[in-house]
Structure formats: structure tokens, C-alpha cells
Amino acid sequence: MLSALDRRDRPPEEGAAAGLQGFAVDKTFLSSLKGILLETELCYQRFDRLNWPCLDFLRCVSAIIIFLVVSFAAVTSRDGAAIAAFVFGIILVSVFAYDAFRIYRTEITPRATQGDQQ
């Protein structure tokens, strides 16, 4: 089995198949954690049972909780950098809160009203 370094050192092969060699699927990459995450991110439409807007909303809510806890933990030292970290954390909390509100208004609320009408 040739490693990726050995494949780069070889001269390119002739013919039509040589152009498609760059598109070969690397099964070791797809079985790694990063490959699984990228495959799930790219093929999200195959998983129709997952409620993606709800997962996005939960991502925003969890980020809000994490940033609030870290911001209040940082401000306890009363240092100049800690206060700046607190302010930056509060700005991030407000951005994530706006994103969660927007997701709720555009994605989750219309689905709930459609379910009530049927």
C-alpha cells in the first residue's frame, strides 16, 4: 500500500483514468472522526428524521449557556483582561440569542402551526 507521500512523488499516469485519480475515495479518512463529521455535514439531506432547525436552535442555546458561565467566571478576578473577556462574552451571548430567536421565529414556529392545522 502506497502512502500519500509516495503517490505525490510519482509522475502522473497517462490516460483518462489519471484525471479521476484525485477523486478516489479514501476509506481511512471517511472512517476517521473528521471524515464522519464532514460526511454528515455534507449529506444532511439524507437524514430526514432529524429536525435540523431544532438542532441548530439547541446549538445556540448551549452556546449561550457556555458563554454566560465562562464570562461570569472570568469577571471574578476583576482584572482588565477579565473584564474585557466578560464584555466579549456578553456580546457573543447576545449574538447567539439573536440567532436562536431568528431560528425560532423562522423555522420552529411555522412548523408548529402547520402541525396544528393538519
Side-chain angles (χ1 to χ4, degrees), residues 11 19 21 25 27 29 48 50 53 78 83 104 107 109 118:
Q21 189 175 17
V25 176
K27 294 187 187 315
F29 175 73
D48 56 348
L50 290 176
R78 307 251 184 225
I83 293 172
Y104 181 77
E107 298 289 337
T109 303
Q118 292 176 353

Side-chain angles (χ1 to χ4, degrees), residues 44 47-59 103 107-109 111-112:
Y44 69 92
F47 302 111
D48 56 348
R49 294 196 182 258
L50 290 176
N51 190 352
W52 292 104
C54 185
L55 290 176
D56 199 23
F57 179 77
L58 290 176
R59 175 193 56 86
I103 290 168
E107 298 289 337
I108 296 175
T109 303
R111 290 178 187 226

